[in-house]
Amino acid sequence: MSFRNGSNWNEINELRSLVIFKKLELANFPRNMQIELCKEMALITNLDISNISAKVSNFKSVAGINRPSNASFNTKETYKKYSLFSIDEIEFKLKNLTAI
């Protein structure tokens, strides 16, 4: 994957967004849960809540839940690679990436 210089998006934040998507999916997409989870992620990243929420919505599109969007190549690749992983498996991968 390739990320734009100066962007706060990276593999770690892509995976964090995928975890949010998977938590929403598991809970059957309850109202207001997405924004709450995005707020939590914003506290540990330099990303705006609205950007995180848009990324999560792009995962919904890639998964076929929302209408097609302009999801990035990185989002599509992350979904393709990790969509069958459990939340715990993705969080384990995140733990390993953040330990580096």
Side-chain angles (χ1 to χ4, degrees):
M1 283 187 278
S2 171
F3 296 91
R4 219 173 350 137
N5 288 337
S7 169
N8 289 316
W9 284 106
N10 53 40
E11 185 177 6
I12 291 168
N13 287 332
E14 287 279 340
L15 288 171
R16 285 175 175 152
S17 298
L18 180 60
V19 167
I20 292 172
F21 164 76
K22 293 194 85 51
K23 286 179 178 180
L24 292 168
E25 184 179 42
L26 190 63
N28 203 25
F29 302 99
R31 281 193 142 193
N32 300 319
M33 186 177 177
Q34 181 168 332
I35 199 68
E36 292 305 317
L37 293 173
C38 291
K39 283 180 186 177
E40 290 175 19
M41 183 175 159
L43 292 173
I44 60 170
T45 66
N46 289 323
L47 295 165
D48 185 81
I49 295 166
S50 62
N51 291 338
I52 299 166
S53 185
K55 179 67 72 174
V56 173
S57 293
N58 284 337
F59 278 117
K60 289 179 184 177
S61 294
V62 172
I65 295 164
N66 284 353
R67 286 184 269 162
S69 69
N70 292 325
S72 71
F73 173 81
N74 293 329
T75 299
K76 292 173 186 174
E77 287 301 304
T78 299
Y79 186 80
K80 186 162 68 171
K81 187 172 181 179
Y82 295 103
S83 65
L84 298 179
F85 284 46
S86 69
I87 292 169
D88 288 340
E89 290 169 324
I90 298 168
E91 288 179 336
F92 181 78
K93 172 75 174 172
L94 275 167
K95 185 178 176 182
N96 289 334
L97 287 172
T98 56
I100 296 172

